[in-house]
Amino acid sequence: MRMNHIDIHVPDVAATAAFLVRHFGLYLLEMRGASGLAILGDDAGLEIVVSHPNEKFGSGHQQALYLVTYHLGFIQTEQSNVDRLYSALKESDAELVGEPREMRGGYFFYCMAPGRVLIEVGWRAE
């Protein structure tokens, strides 16, 4: 068994999907409806579904809840890639949460994608 996808709920599907494609190497597999659901993929086969909350399941999005209840992590193959991505995000006026630093045996920083989706970018020596 392997994880197939994760579905994140946001108020603006197009903005969040565009941010993830632009900065994290994901690609758009499919957009359904009028920007109501985006399916993003990566080269390893992971899919991230970006959608509006589904009231049937009692879900909401973090921006409306005023909470951060999860984060997405993107591991880098080189420590220098963390710095490169941090600089690119800073130049694009992304909401950064601290600078890259050593913590928990690695080198990380955090940022917010549209919809208050917390993103962790890091590297760990193997």
Side-chain angles (χ1 to χ4, degrees), residues 3-44:
M3 180 183 231
N4 170 266
H5 72 277
I6 185 166
D7 188 346
I8 60 174
H9 299 149
V10 298
D12 187 339
V13 170
T16 303
F19 182 89
L20 293 170
V21 166
R22 178 177 178 197
H23 295 294
F24 295 99
L26 300 172
Y27 47 86
L28 181 65
L29 294 170
E30 186 177 351
M31 181 71 79
R32 295 183 185 166
S35 297
L37 184 142
I39 302 173
L40 308 177
D42 72 4
D43 292 335

Side-chain angles (χ1 to χ4, degrees), residues 75-77 79 105-108 122-126:
I75 199 75
Q76 304 297 307
T77 57
Q79 182 174 343
Y107 185 70
F108 298 88
W123 168 84
R124 288 189 196 281
E126 298 210 16

Side-chain angles (χ1 to χ4, degrees), residues 80-93:
S80 60
N81 291 345
V82 175
D83 292 321
R84 180 193 53 74
L85 189 49
Y86 176 82
S87 295
L89 286 162
K90 188 173 184 178
E91 288 177 20
S92 74
D93 292 327

Side-chain angles (χ1 to χ4, degrees), residues 1 19 25 31 40 49 55-56 62 64 112-113 124:
M1 180 184 313
F19 182 89
M31 181 71 79
L40 308 177
V49 178
E55 291 182 30
K56 178 172 66 174
Q62 295 187 123
M112 288 286 188
R124 288 189 196 281

